[in-house]
């Protein structure tokens, strides 16, 4: 019985000892055996994980889906910002339009901003201005939104977000003319962007967070 007990202790010990010798013949851990030298290692996140898989080709002027924002209101804002200025708060274009959303000085006055230079250096105010201007435009265009939303005009499905984006580009008056002429009056800015293009490009976003407000002002 003692002999059996000895075997039960010695045999496992012997197996472990042999394995240890095979793995560590010099009784030392050799780090060279575990080096990653020469291996191709890729630490980059895959594009389909890092970006929304529906992000389309910007060069082809397709609808932009901002990473992770999709068709949300934040996605709407950032898509317009990218189109207008590549998202740069501090840029001024050749016509004097300012900031991330490229506001003109006259439009800024309608929402209570009278110091363009201060506006240009205040990102928080620029974000407030975008919302205030969109809410004012939504009030002006409220009847047109109700009348035309869901219809096809000049090959474009009319949506509230498309209407508001086009109003940001051209003003609510030009949008009314486009809708009420069924695409016959298609305003184009100095760089060739049209009401129709913005209607299509920014269609289908969720802009329900915006409340129609005749007297909307940008305040911080």
């Amino acid at each position: 019985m003692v002999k059996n007990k000895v075997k039960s202790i010695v045999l496992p010990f012997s197996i472990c000892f042999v394995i240890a010798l095979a793995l560590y013949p010099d009784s030392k851990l050799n780090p060279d055996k575990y080096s990653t030298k020469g291996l191709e290692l890729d630490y980059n996140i895959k594009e389909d994980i890092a970006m929304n898989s529906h992000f389309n080709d910007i060069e082809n002027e397709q609808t932009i889906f901002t990473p992770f924002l999709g068709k949300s209101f934040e996605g709407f804002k950032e898509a317009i910002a990218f189109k207008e200025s590549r998202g740069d708060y501090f840029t001024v274009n050749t016509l004097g339009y300012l900031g991330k959303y490229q506001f003109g000085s006259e439009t800024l006055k309608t929402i209570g901003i009278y110091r363009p230079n201060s506006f240009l250096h205040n990102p928080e105010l620029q974000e407030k201005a975008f919302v205030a201007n969109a809410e004012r435009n939504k009030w002006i265009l409220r009847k047109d939104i109700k009348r035309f939303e869901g219809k096809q005009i000049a090959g474009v499905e009319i949506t509230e977000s498309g209407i508001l984006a086009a109003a940001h580009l051209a003003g609510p008056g030009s949008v009314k003319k486009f809708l009420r002429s069924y695409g016959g009056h298609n305003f184009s800015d100095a760089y060739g962007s049209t009401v129709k293009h913005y209607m299509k490009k920014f269609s289908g976003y969720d802009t329900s967070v915006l409340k129609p407000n005749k007297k909307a002002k940008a305040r911080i």
Side-chain angles (χ1 to χ4, degrees):
M1 186 172 179
V2 173
K3 187 176 180 180
N4 290 337
K5 286 184 178 180
V6 171
K7 281 185 178 180
S8 66
I9 296 172
V10 172
L11 185 59
F13 180 82
S14 299
I15 293 172
C16 291
F17 185 75
V18 171
I19 292 172
L21 285 176
L23 293 175
Y24 308 105
D26 300 324
S27 299
K28 292 181 179 179
L29 184 65
N30 185 355
D32 291 337
K33 291 183 179 180
Y34 304 95
S35 173
T36 57
K37 185 177 181 180
L39 295 178
E40 270 189 43
L41 301 176
D42 185 0
Y43 296 102
N44 294 316
I45 299 173
K46 291 182 179 180
E47 183 179 358
D48 61 343
I49 296 174
M51 304 288 286
N52 185 306
S53 61
H54 296 291
F55 194 100
N56 295 317
D57 186 2
I58 294 169
E59 292 181 358
N60 293 331
E61 290 289 46
Q62 300 298 314
T63 301
I64 295 173
F65 286 72
T66 308
F68 307 113
L69 298 179
K71 288 288 190 175
S72 67
F73 177 64
E74 289 300 321
F76 175 68
K77 285 202 309 172
E78 294 306 315
I80 289 180
F82 188 85
K83 171 63 177 173
E84 294 290 336
S85 71
R86 296 301 189 264
D88 185 351
Y89 283 110
F90 309 108
T91 190
V92 180
N93 76 4
T94 56
L95 298 176
Y97 287 84
L98 306 164
K100 181 178 177 179
Y101 301 103
Q102 292 292 277
F103 277 100
S105 58
E106 292 304 311
T107 299
L108 290 177
K109 289 177 184 177
T110 65
I111 53 175
I113 298 171
Y114 301 96
R115 298 172 61 192
N117 190 57
S118 296
F119 169 80
L120 183 64
H121 294 90
N122 192 328
E124 183 182 359
L125 185 57
Q126 291 189 35
E127 296 297 335
K128 297 286 187 180
F130 180 86
V131 172
N133 186 57
E135 289 185 338
R136 180 175 178 275
N137 287 338
K138 190 169 181 175
W139 184 85
I140 295 170
L141 293 163
R142 65 196 184 284
K143 293 180 181 178
D144 296 275
I145 291 171
K146 184 177 181 180
R147 176 182 174 187
F148 293 103
E149 190 172 21
K151 293 184 178 180
Q152 291 275 339
I153 293 180
V156 177
E157 182 179 354
I158 305 304
T159 66
E160 180 178 287
S161 64
I163 288 174
L164 295 178
H168 182 84
L169 169 75
S174 293
V175 173
K176 283 186 178 186
K177 290 178 181 179
F178 174 85
L179 293 172
R180 296 177 186 185
S181 68
Y182 287 86
H185 187 283
N186 187 23
F187 170 89
S188 175
D189 73 1
Y191 299 105
S193 294
T194 65
V195 165
K196 178 183 175 180
H197 178 68
Y198 267 52
M199 286 270 192
K200 182 177 180 179
K201 184 177 181 65
F202 300 105
S203 67
Y205 285 88
D206 181 5
T207 52
S208 60
V209 67
L210 296 170
K211 305 305 177 186
N213 185 353
K214 181 181 180 180
K215 299 179 179 180
K217 302 294 180 185
R219 296 187 178 92
I220 55 174

